Amino acid sequence: MPSTTGTIALNNFLQSKGKRASLSWYDTSSGPAHEPEWTSVCKIDGEAISSGKGTHKHLSRDDAADQALVKLTAEWS
């Protein structure tokens, strides 16, 4: 089932604005290898605009993407 939130929604939004190539991520993990906590920073044109945390990298990116989408929708609409 397709997702309408997270990284997919952010990618779709950026593509609709002609800015898909401007997206980049900075990911780090901490904690034990069997139970890491991931932190992802969402960057647009090299500028950090949101961050998220999760037990898996894709979850932390989705968290950051949701926050970025709220911010970008308000700024670019």
Side-chain angles (χ1 to χ4, degrees):
M1 173 184 282
S3 173
T4 56
T5 62
T7 55
I8 292 172
L10 179 59
N11 286 334
N12 290 341
F13 176 78
L14 291 172
Q15 187 172 5
S16 76
K17 301 294 184 185
K19 298 281 282 177
R20 173 60 188 100
S22 65
L23 175 64
S24 62
W25 297 96
Y26 178 73
D27 304 300
T28 58
S29 66
S30 60
H34 69 280
E35 194 176 13
E37 178 174 63
W38 285 90
T39 301
S40 295
V41 176
C42 177
K43 296 181 176 185
I44 304 294
D45 293 325
E47 180 183 342
I49 61 166
S50 64
S51 65
K53 292 185 181 268
T55 54
H56 297 279
K57 187 180 351 181
H58 72 277
L59 296 176
S60 66
R61 282 188 174 191
D62 281 345
D63 184 29
D66 286 338
Q67 294 174 47
L69 190 55
V70 168
K71 182 175 181 179
L72 293 174
T73 300
E75 289 179 8
W76 294 357
S77 294

